[in-house]
Amino acid sequence: MRQPPVKFRILGSVEFHDGEKWLPVKAAKQRALLAVLLLNANHLVPAQQLHSELWSDGSSSHVGSLLAGCVWRLRAAIGDSEGKSLLTRPTGYQLAVPSGGLDLLEYESLVASGRTQRASGNLVAAMRSFSAALDLWRGAPLADVALTSSIMAESARLEESRLAVMEAKLGVQIALGEHEDILPELKLLVAQHPLRERLHEYLMTALYRTGQQAEALGAYRDLHHLLADELGIDPSRPLRELQQRILEEDPRLHDRSARQEITAGAPVGTVAPARSAPTLLPPRRVPFVGRESELDKIVGLLSEGRRTVAVHGPAGSGKSALAVGAAHALAGAFPDGRVHVDMRGTTGSAALRPEQAREMLLAAFGTERGSAEAAYTGAVPAGRRVLVVLDDVRDSAQIQALVTEAAGFSFLITSRSPIAGMDGLTHLRLGRLTEAASLDLLRQGVGASRIDAELSAAAELVASCDHSPFALRLAADRLATRPDWTVAEFARYVAEPHQRLDFLADGDVSLRDSLMASLRLLSDTADGPDGPRGTAAVAALRRLGHLDRTVVTVTALAVLLGTTQGEAHRLAERLVDVGLLESLAIDRYRVPPSVRALAREIPGTDHDDAEAVQRVADLDAGAAPDLPRPVHLASYRRDRERETLGASAARDRAEGVAEPLGGARCVLSASGSRSARAQS
């Protein structure tokens, strides 16, 4: 009996190795099934997902038998009749692929290795890894598989990855001085991908270094005309600056290390060679949607000499994208280096320690380890300007020593909670996007024609995503990969809070996980002898989920929790700090619908939730609830609460959020009438 294959490849046509040679899977349905399983290698693929991929023409009463038959025939085709590789699971199927058994996994490993080597300054090894990764390609990915929506999306993703790796390899070769060797390839790639600005940048640099200044300026002129004609925009600032440097014959253009854009995403084990102005930034998101005023403010503050700017806001508000965009825009203000460090503050035990971040910064500037202050002084001589982006910071304890020691640096900090206890910080809080910006973000990801054709449904989707850039990007990605879905159908699914948490997901990234990271920030903090500080805040959040109101006052929260207004206010502010509540006024808070859905899932042994909600209803009805601790009911102004609930109703209708506020409004109306009669 033939042994099951141990090798597969999809970077080209789909094939398997039978121990002697590479073979295709002849039947189209089995080939498509194998492709989907390989794209999810070593992970369970639900049977329903497989059926929708293979039989996209509609539902069938024979779903189970059709899929089982296809799986049986695929096993026979690849010599796995006993099911040792293609495994049956209770809810679907899983293809077990050993290490080195899939070209895609090998490709991704080589790419990651190349980026790590490039970040550590080992450019020769990085070029070898990138070259080996590209050598695995045999043509268009999944070339012989029927183009379902997910196959099209994966093919596009892989093609984009391939092009990005080609750019990375070319950048390394330019840094190694091989600009003359790569000119023919660069010219061909620019012709094939005329809107890729990074390729134009490399072409201009290579042409200039080979003594072709006029040709380099001509390449810029061609791109300028193309962008103006096609998109009505100018080339990006880095390209405009490069053109100016070519015109001025800047001698630094002949420096091999003049342009190496990499990301400092993990501790570096080896020290990179010294470089005059490292630019270690993730790629910026283009186009940048909805945060233009905040971007201008950050750029203005740091350009004018403000040393530390801290951006905080709830999960998914776009803090990281804003910080990276600002760092790119500040190239002229910080000519001596811009470095990005992911502090991983919301990842629990995986968060960077201060000494790890320090080592990464020293490595970025090619400085030997030793006395931190002496090392920073050597890395950045007096009078030079360097910007460091400290992204996803947990709290001040994680960065205070780092910021204090690095006296010659400027810092742009992002965090979910405000950074407290540090002098000299300028704070900027990010909230939700406007509706116009939210719709523009959907247009960017899905296509303007598709969104504008169902603008009302798109507005409902925006509201269900709570105007959050993160949730909107997940929604846009989902719609973009499902061209057969209407926007209205998708909006109806996302409008249901429980479905929303699961439906807004892309691979291992989901809205639920993003909110859970904020919940962990509550649970992981301690507060003296009474135990975890976050315990009371988590319990408060759970009850807010059961109350299920968009807007809650401090007085109502105190009644809900059976505590004092001071304690309720402290707990509400703690929830604001971790990005789960939104402050509307000093005594009034907004509870987003997705947060309420998550809150109702929080486990607990508190059996008094129903009584707590009833106490708030009694308070709304004008009755004095039986409270275990005193609350100043006089502060619970009836007219103001009625206005709040009315505003909530208008917002609910606009955002498509359904919640049980109707009863409370009727009670308020009735109590107001009773009060009026009593006064008369």
Side-chain angles (χ1 to χ4, degrees):
M1 180 179 296
R2 187 170 49 152
Q3 293 297 313
V6 293
K7 286 188 176 182
F8 301 89
R9 55 188 190 184
I10 61 176
L11 300 178
S13 56
V14 176
E15 296 176 342
F16 69 95
H17 200 274
D18 67 350
E20 297 180 358
K21 58 185 179 298
W22 289 101
L23 296 171
V25 175
K26 295 181 180 179
K29 275 284 191 276
Q30 296 157 37
R31 192 163 59 245
L33 172 61
L34 179 59
V36 175
L37 291 169
L38 287 172
L39 288 169
N40 299 274
N42 299 315
H43 293 280
L44 170 69
V45 184
Q48 187 60 45
Q49 177 184 341
L50 290 171
H51 184 269
S52 64
E53 288 291 335
L54 299 176
W55 293 277
S56 58
D57 51 346
S59 60
S60 170
S61 58
H62 305 292
V63 171
S65 58
L66 282 172
L67 183 57
C70 193
V71 169
W72 179 81
R73 286 187 289 273
L74 176 60
R75 282 178 174 146
I78 65 176
D80 183 34
S81 56
E82 296 182 5
K84 293 181 178 179
S85 293
L86 209 175
L87 310 174
T88 300
R89 299 302 189 202
T91 58
Y93 297 91
Q94 178 178 333
L95 186 60
V97 178
S99 176
L102 177 61
D103 59 352
L104 175 59
L105 298 180
E106 185 180 356
Y107 164 78
E108 291 174 339
S109 176
L110 285 167
V111 171
S113 175
R115 287 173 176 156
T116 300
Q117 290 157 346
R118 181 181 62 175
S120 66
N122 193 346
L123 299 183
V124 174
M127 188 182 70
R128 289 173 181 163
S129 293
F130 289 143
S131 297
L134 294 170
D135 286 344
L136 293 172
W137 287 73
R138 298 169 289 112
L142 305 162
D144 54 350
V145 179
L147 292 179
T148 64
S149 57
S150 67
I151 294 298
M152 284 191 292
E154 284 297 324
S155 297
R157 181 184 70 84
L158 291 172
E159 288 284 12
E160 175 64 24
S161 173
R162 180 187 188 184
L163 187 53
V165 173
M166 293 172 72
E167 288 180 338
K169 174 176 171 284
L170 290 166
V172 169
Q173 288 179 279
I174 287 178
L176 289 170
E178 299 179 4
H179 39 271
E180 195 165 353
D181 297 336
I182 65 173
L183 260 178
E185 182 181 3
L186 263 174
K187 290 179 178 179
L188 177 61
L189 286 172
V190 166
Q192 294 172 337
H193 307 280
L195 296 179
R196 301 282 293 204
E197 293 198 15
R198 181 63 57 82
L199 291 175
H200 284 273
E201 176 189 337
Y202 291 156
L203 178 60
M204 291 166 63
T205 302
L207 287 168
Y208 182 77
R209 289 187 180 180
T210 55
Q212 303 179 67
Q213 182 184 27
E215 288 80 357
L217 294 171
Y220 175 85
R221 184 179 61 252
D222 292 342
L223 175 63
H224 185 279
H225 290 160
L226 178 65
L227 292 177
D229 293 342
E230 295 289 332
L231 304 174
I233 61 175
D234 292 330
S236 62
R237 180 179 293 183
L239 272 179
R240 297 197 303 270
E241 292 173 351
L242 177 58
Q243 181 215 22
Q244 188 62 35
R245 293 169 65 191
I246 291 173
L247 285 168
E248 296 171 354
E249 300 185 29
D250 187 342
R252 288 181 298 172
L253 286 176
H254 290 284
D255 179 5
R256 292 182 180 181
S257 61
R259 184 80 172 172
Q260 295 179 41
E261 291 199 359
I262 56 180
T263 301
V268 177
T270 58
V271 177
R275 42 179 99 108
S276 57
T279 303
L280 314 182
L281 299 175
R284 76 189 108 188
R285 188 179 291 278
V286 178
F288 196 76
V289 178
R291 299 294 189 198
E292 291 80 6
S293 62
E294 292 91 342
L295 179 67
D296 291 342
K297 184 173 183 179
I298 293 173
V299 170
L301 287 168
L302 290 168
S303 298
E304 293 164 4
R306 197 67 57 91
R307 181 171 180 252
T308 309
V309 176
V311 181
H312 70 275
S317 56
K319 301 178 294 295
S320 296
L322 175 62
V324 170
H328 279 285
L330 285 161
F334 293 93
D336 301 304
R338 290 162 294 143
V339 180
H340 173 275
V341 180
D342 182 1
M343 299 300 294
R344 303 200 294 267
T346 56
T347 60
S349 59
L352 281 191
R353 299 187 302 276
E355 59 270 22
Q356 290 177 303
R358 180 188 300 118
E359 290 176 4
M360 292 167 61
L361 286 179
L362 296 181
F365 287 91
T367 305
E368 297 291 342
R369 298 172 188 165
S371 164
E373 188 173 355
Y376 286 130
T377 302
V380 186
R384 295 195 178 182
R385 300 205 64 195
V386 169
L387 175 66
V388 177
V389 178
L390 297 178
D391 197 9
D392 191 20
V393 171
R394 181 186 179 89
D395 51 30
S396 59
Q398 192 184 20
I399 62 168
Q400 187 155 21
L402 186 68
V403 173
T404 302
E405 292 165 355
F409 291 64
S410 292
F411 290 91
L412 177 53
I413 301 166
T414 74
S415 63
R416 294 198 181 180
S417 303
I419 299 298
M422 291 180 62
D423 296 332
L425 265 66
T426 299
H427 294 279
L428 176 65
R429 186 185 185 279
L430 288 192
R432 298 179 294 160
L433 291 176
T434 64
E435 180 162 344
S438 300
L439 289 170
D440 283 343
L441 199 154
L442 284 181
R443 292 185 182 99
Q444 173 193 324
V446 182
S449 59
R450 190 172 171 194
I451 293 300
D452 291 339
E454 297 184 77
L455 197 55
S456 176
E460 293 177 8
L461 178 59
V462 161
S464 294
C465 291
D466 208 35
H467 300 80
S468 160
F470 177 73
L472 287 165
R473 291 193 188 282
L474 289 175
D477 289 345
R478 201 74 188 270
L479 273 174
T481 59
R482 297 292 189 272
D484 51 324
W485 291 358
T486 68
V487 177
E489 289 171 340
F490 185 67
R492 280 196 294 272
Y493 270 88
V494 177
E496 173 58 41
H498 289 89
Q499 290 185 162
R500 181 186 312 148
L501 295 179
D502 293 317
F503 219 61
L504 292 179
D506 183 11
D508 296 331
V509 180
S510 69
L511 179 59
R512 182 190 300 278
D513 291 340
S514 179
L515 293 174
M516 285 298 296
S518 290
L519 199 59
R520 285 194 295 272
L521 288 179
L522 287 177
S523 305
D524 291 347
T525 53
D527 187 24
D530 295 331
R533 182 173 81 182
T535 302
V538 171
L541 185 65
R542 187 179 75 249
R543 284 199 176 176
L544 283 171
H546 288 290
L547 183 63
D548 200 24
R549 287 187 178 179
T550 299
V551 176
V552 65
T553 64
V554 169
T555 304
L557 182 58
V559 171
L560 182 70
L561 302 179
T563 187
T564 64
Q565 291 193 77
E567 177 65 8
H569 197 277
R570 188 185 74 82
L571 293 173
E573 286 297 305
R574 179 61 185 147
L575 292 170
V576 170
D577 284 346
V578 298
L580 293 171
L581 259 61
E582 178 184 345
S583 177
L584 300 178
I586 196 169
D587 62 346
R588 204 165 298 270
Y589 298 91
R590 180 178 182 276
V591 192
S594 298
V595 172
R596 301 201 301 272
L598 180 73
R600 289 192 289 272
E601 298 177 0
I602 298 174
T605 57
D606 188 350
H607 300 293
D608 300 327
D609 289 338
E611 292 182 8
V613 172
Q614 185 60 48
R615 287 200 301 268
V616 179
D618 291 343
L619 184 64
D620 291 339
D626 184 15
L627 298 174
R629 302 179 68 176
V631 169
H632 298 292
L633 295 181
S635 66
Y636 196 76
R637 290 190 283 265
R638 182 68 55 182
D639 291 340
R640 190 172 178 187
E641 184 66 0
R642 188 181 296 109
E643 290 172 2
T644 299
L645 291 173
S648 299
R651 185 185 298 107
D652 292 346
R653 287 192 297 271
E655 298 182 357
V657 177
E659 59 176 1
L661 283 175
R665 297 185 190 105
C666 292
V667 167
L668 283 174
S669 177
S671 65
S673 300
R674 286 196 299 270
S675 176
R677 286 195 299 271
Q679 292 173 0
S680 63

